[in-house]
Amino acid sequence: MGSRAFYEDATEAYQLPRVVRLAPNLFAVCFTLMKMIPARYILRRALREGLLAPGTIIVETTSGTFGLALAMQAAQLDRRLILVSDPAIDDRLHRRLTDLGAVVERLAQQAAVGGYQAARLNRLAEIRRELPATFCPEQYSNPDNPRSYAVVAELLVEALGQVDCVVGPIGSGGSTGGTTTFLRSVSPDCRAIGVDTHFSVSFGHPDGQRGLRGLGNSLMPPSMDHRVFDGVHWCTAAEAYRATRHLHRRHALFMGPTSGASYLVGRWWAQKHPDALTVVLMPDEGYRYLDTVYDDEWLAAQGYGATVLPDEPLTVSDPTRPGSRWTAYDWGKRSYTEVMASARDDLVELR
Amino acid sequence: MARDGVTVLLAGDTSTNAMTIAHDVVPHRFARHRCAVQTRPEQGNDVAQTHGLDLGWTKARTVAPQLRLGVGEAHAHHGEVLQGVFYRDDGRRSRALVTLPFPSRGSRAVFRAGAGESGTVTVDGEEFAKVRRAAELTLRALPGAPAGGHVEITSDVPRGLGLGSSTSDVTATIRAVADCLGAAPTAEEVARLAALAEGACDPIMIEDRVVLFAHREGTVLETLGPRLPPMIVVGCDTDPGGAVDTLEHPPARYNDWEIGAFVVLRTVLRRAITAWDVPLLGKVTTVSAQINQRFLPKPDLDFLLAVCREEGGCGVQVAHSGTVAGVIFDPSRRGTVDAVARCVRRIEDHGLPTTNVIGADLLPKGLDAGVS
C-alpha cells in the first residue's frame, strides 16, 4: 500500500500497531486494540459474502477486547450486536460497549465443565435459536482469525525486514500463530513462542482458577494450531503485572498485563539470542487496568506487592503440571496430541 | 475517416510457421509473420470509448497513406518474479504479477498503412489473432488513423514457454502502429491496449520501472522500484517438448492463506528491490514458484531448488503460465562465476535445455567455458 493521508474509518485507524524498539534486537508491537484485526477481517468478509444483511444481528461470546472491536465495527456498519459475557467484564468496558449500542448479557452462573467459557457458549447457542438471522464471528474456531494477521506480518517485514522470533500471548492462538505463519512464508526459520498462564488448557495444563485475566483458556480453542509453536511459557499473574509495570516505567509503554507477560518472555529470549531479531506482540493498552495492575494498593491487597521478577524461566519437562512461577517448555512445533503422548510416556518412564 | 470494424488479412510469406521455433532456444533464428489489416467501416463500435480509453496522444502526421511505415519493438520476459492475487488501494483484489525481463529476446513489428494489397489472404491462425486485434484496437483508438495496413512481425521469442512471445508481438505491433501515425502512447496506454487485445498481457512495455501489474486489466497496481537488482538467472525449459497454451490454462484459485502470503511477499519484494537484495528477492520468487506448483507444476522444481541450494543460488523463479524456470544468483557474491557454470552444467546434465543466462554480462569474463 502506498502512503496514506487519512484512514477511511476508525476501525482501520485502530488496527495497525506501532513498532517500538526496546533493545538492539527486541521490538514491541504495540496495538491499541489488536482484536480489531480479526474482527474487521471477519465482518468485512461476511459483508462481502452477503452473510451480514441489514437485519442480521451479530452475536458473540467474549468478555474482552474482541467484543469492543466488534462493537466498534457494528456501530459503523449499523448492525445490532449481542455479546454474551461473564461477570469479569469490567464496568469501563461495559459502559463503552453499551455506548456503542451493543447489548451485553452478563452470565452469573458457570457451567459445571468449562467454567464461564462453556456457559457463555451455551447461552450463545440459545440466543441464536431465538433470533431469525444472526452472524457469529466465532473467534475461537474461525480460521479467518489467524488468517487476518497477514497485515501484521506485512508491517513487520516492511519495518524490520527479517524477523527471527515472535513472542505473543495466547488467547485463541490466532495472533502469534497467524503472524508467524505468514512470516514463515519468506523466513521459514522464524520461531513462535506462546505466552500462557498456569491452569490454562491451551498447552496442556488442567483448567483451574487463573489470576491473570485476558490470558489462558478453560476450553481448547478449536482453531488453534499447536504445530506453529517452538516454545511455550507460563507466567503467574504477579509476574505478568510486575513486568507490565516494568515495561511502563522502563520504556514508557502503557500496555495491558498480557503485553507485560509477553514482554517478560520476549526480553529474556532476545537477551539469550542476541543475533536474533525478536518481536513481542502487545495486544492492548493500560487504561482498563489503571485501577488494578497500575494501582500499587490493589497489587498489595492481592498479595502481588513484593513480587520480584525472575531473570529466567524454570524449564519444565512436563507440560501438564501447573507451577507457581514462570516456567518454559520446549514445545518443538508438535501437535497437541504428540506432546501429550510424549508427556505420558515420560511419566511412565519415571515410574 | 473510417476507423471502425477492421478485418485482417494475411499477406506475403506464410511459409514460416511460428510453431516451428516453439522450442528452439538457439539464438539468431527468427520467425517472420506478416498480416494485413484492413478496415471495414460499417462494422464495429468505438473501442476507445467502449473501454474508457482516452488516448490523447494522437498527432497523426500528414504523409501519403501508401508511404506510411512504423516500427515497434518489444522484448521478451522469463516468467515471473511473483504472481498471485493482490489488494488494490480500494480494497478490492486483482490478479497481478511482476515480470522478469528477458531483454536479449524480442519481437519487432513493421506496420505499413494502407489496405488491400495484392495477394492478401484471410488469417485463420490463432497466432495472429492477437496481433491483428492489437493493430485494430490501436487504429481505432487513434483519430485520423488510416483504414488499415500490414503488420509484419519478426521474433526470436520461442512460443509456449511462458516467455511472453505473444505480448512482445502485440506490444511491438501497438508501438509500430503508433509510430506509423506519429503517436507516442505512454507505457500504460500501450499496456491497456495490449491487455484488451490479448485478454491479459505481461508488463514488458513498462520498461523504466518494476511494477506489480494487473495482467488482466492491463493496469499498474504499484510501482515497486526503479529496477530489479542486478542478478543472474540461469534459465531453462522444464518441459522440453511441451508447451502451455496461455488461453487454455485455467486461472489459479488461490486459498485464503496464499492470498495472505501475497500481502507479505509483495512487501518483501518491495524491500528487496529498494535494497538491491538479491537473496531476499530469491526468497520471494521461490515461495511464488512453490505456490504455483498447485496450479501449473514444474516437475523439476525440486531439482532446481536443490541445485540452487547446493550452488549458493538465491532462489528459483518460474513462468506461471509457461514451462521456463530460472535459478537466481547474486553477482556480487564471490564464486558466482563458477557457481553459475556448474548450475548450467547440472541443469543440462539433468536433460533440461537451458534458455539463456540472463545478466551474464554482469559477470567477469570466464563464464563462456561453462555456458555453451
Side-chain angles (χ1 to χ4, degrees), chain B residues 30-361:
Chain B
F30 290 78
R32 188 160 277 147
H33 334 291
R34 290 174 185 164
C35 64
V37 187
Q38 188 179 48
T39 57
R40 193 183 289 160
E42 69 275 16
Q43 277 189 351
N45 52 355
D46 192 298
V47 173
Q49 276 179 12
T50 310
H51 296 281
L53 281 175
D54 179 17
L55 299 178
W57 33 270
T58 312
K59 288 185 203 67
R61 286 184 301 224
T62 326
V63 180
Q66 66 273 24
L67 296 178
R68 287 180 184 172
L69 184 135
V71 180
E73 291 182 334
H75 62 70
H77 66 74
H78 199 277
E80 283 73 40
V81 170
L82 172 63
Q83 179 161 339
V85 167
F86 299 88
Y87 288 92
R88 311 184 72 103
D89 282 343
D90 62 9
R92 285 183 300 164
R93 304 194 287 219
S94 280
R95 292 177 182 276
L97 52 82
V98 178
T99 277
L100 178 66
F102 187 4
S104 62
R105 296 282 182 119
S107 301
R108 180 183 161 88
V110 176
F111 177 75
R112 286 183 180 79
E117 294 200 7
S118 60
T120 56
V121 289
T122 309
V123 184
D124 52 10
E126 267 296 305
E127 202 62 36
F128 303 107
K130 295 170 178 177
V131 166
R132 180 174 48 203
R133 195 163 150 69
E136 288 171 18
L137 289 168
T138 313
L139 284 173
R140 286 191 221 175
L142 288 168
H150 274 294
V151 179
E152 183 183 321
I153 299 280
T154 311
S155 171
D156 65 349
V157 186
R159 317 263 135 182
L161 305 194
L163 294 173
S165 57
S166 156
T167 301
S168 65
D169 288 352
V170 160
T171 302
T173 300
I174 294 166
R175 286 173 167 169
V177 173
D179 179 55
C180 178
L181 294 158
T186 65
E188 278 91 343
E189 286 162 343
V190 174
R192 290 277 286 137
L193 283 172
L196 280 178
E198 287 196 80
C201 70
D202 308 298
I204 52 159
M205 66 293 292
I206 301 170
E207 291 163 309
D208 57 346
R209 60 215 145 98
V210 187
V211 292
L212 178 63
F213 184 75
H215 44 288
R216 284 159 192 259
E217 294 95 346
T219 56
V220 173
L221 252 63
E222 182 188 341
T223 296
L224 296 165
R227 54 162 294 189
L228 290 172
M231 57 188 188
I232 295 156
V233 184
V234 178
C236 67
D237 183 0
T238 60
D239 186 16
V244 174
D245 185 331
T246 315
L247 289 177
E248 291 294 313
H249 176 55
R253 292 192 59 83
Y254 302 108
N255 65 35
D256 292 324
W257 275 109
E258 287 163 342
I259 291 170
F262 290 135
V263 171
V264 180
L265 290 172
R266 173 184 187 168
T267 305
V268 175
L269 180 59
R270 192 187 302 125
R271 191 180 174 94
I273 290 170
T274 309
W276 276 22
D277 188 334
V278 182
L280 194 58
L281 183 132
K283 285 183 177 179
V284 174
T285 64
T286 301
V287 178
S288 185
Q290 285 164 334
I291 289 174
N292 185 54
Q293 287 298 83
R294 292 210 298 122
F295 307 107
L296 187 64
K298 308 284 175 284
D300 280 309
L301 182 65
D302 285 341
F303 162 74
L304 292 173
L305 286 170
V307 170
C308 174
R309 204 167 42 243
E310 286 154 22
E311 303 301 347
C314 299
V316 173
Q317 58 82 221
V318 299
H320 288 237
S321 55
T323 62
V324 295
V327 182
I328 298 172
F329 289 88
D330 183 352
S332 67
R333 219 181 113 122
R334 283 169 64 102
T336 293
V337 174
D338 294 337
V340 167
R342 280 194 305 270
C343 177
V344 171
R345 262 197 307 277
R346 287 183 64 178
I347 288 173
E348 289 181 341
D349 288 350
H350 194 71
L352 303 179
T354 47
T355 46
N356 211 323
V357 179
I358 300 170
D361 52 320

